[in-house]
Amino acid sequence: MTKIKETTVLVTGGAAGIGRLMGDMCLQDGAANLVIWDINKEKLDETTRELRAMHFSVHPYLVDVSDLAQVRETAMKVQSEVGEVDILINNAGIITGNSDFKDFTHAGIDRTIAVNTSALMHVTLEFLPAMIRKQSGHIVNIASAAGMLSNPQMSVYCASKWAVVGWSEAMRMELELSRSGVRVTTVCPSYINTGMFAGVKVNPLLPLLKPETLAALVVRAIKSNRLFVRAPFMVKLVPFTKGILPVRWFDLFVGKWLGIYKSMSGFKGHEKS
Ligand SMILES: NC(=O)c1ccc[n+]([C@@H]2O[C@H](COP(=O)([O-])OP(=O)(O)OC[C@H]3O[C@@H](n4cnc5c(N)ncnc54)[C@H](O)[C@@H]3O)[C@@H](O)[C@H]2O)c1
């Protein structure tokens, strides 16, 4: 069991969406400090103000996780100003639109991979050595069901999340083999109602998840050292069905019957402020 009480928890992208909720839930579970990293100053200030009204120990840092120099500098600041991080939740992520790959820009590819993939590794590398030294800690990597299931109009997002699942699992195995005491949880949710994927079409078998439901599942997974969170239930069936069905049958089942391959056609995403 990983305890949350009296720990220091860092959530990247913690100013909004499920990041904010997971941070809040960790504070409610008795975390001593919540460190929030986010690129959005307005949301960071608002979330800090609101969470501080209930808990004193909220530490906001304005940082772009895709900028390695900022990540290294801010990690050093956190370690000297707040202390060692016990639970790291790599949550910040982006989707740049719903274009086919042929219409992607080079800048869009690089930005997606930098925020959704490379950043998780760079941030983890800053905090993992101290966790290994203490022989305790927990790293949560927020991937996506799109990290197990390819989907049209989100090819680069899928690539970024498949990479997270592969890396997260390999690191988990290494940390177990070396008896490090550090735990890893990989999270693969389908669409969540945070606004990030506003406009997508969902099937009743794969309903839009409530942000609170997913955040609570992740916090519970930290406490019970679960290796994976896959939600809703249908996502748990993906590895098995993909493994046993011929590709064309899988396309028919998931793409046509469940309508997933058309889910991005109505995508609008967050409203631009
Ligand atoms: N919403 C969904 O349907 C869904 C489904 C599966 C997985 N996910 C994943 O869950 C995570 C959180 O998603 P959400 O729906 O809460 O998103 P959100 O857009 O509501 O919140 C993301 C937060 O990350 C911050 N952020 C973005 N880029 C950043 C950067 N470069 N540096 C620092 N902070 C940055 C944003 O400012 C925002 O506060 C993401 O990794 C996303 O890919 C979301």
Side-chain angles (χ1 to χ4, degrees), residues 13 15-19 37-40 63-66 91-94 111 115 142-145 157 161 189-192 194 196-197 270:
I18 57 166
W37 284 18
D38 209 286
I39 197 173
N40 184 328
V63 52
D64 177 351
V65 292
S66 70
N91 164 75
I94 53 165
R111 178 95 193 127
V115 177
I142 308 290
S144 168
Y157 182 82
K161 296 296 188 177
S190 179
Y191 295 123
I192 314 163
T194 59
M196 183 181 187
F197 282 94
H270 282 300

Side-chain angles (χ1 to χ4, degrees), residues 90-119:
N90 280 311
N91 164 75
I94 53 165
I95 174 94
T96 55
N98 63 342
S99 54
D100 283 355
F101 182 69
K102 67 178 170 47
D103 301 320
F104 240 83
T105 61
H106 293 291
I109 296 171
D110 286 349
R111 178 95 193 127
T112 305
I113 300 294
V115 177
N116 290 6
T117 313
S118 308

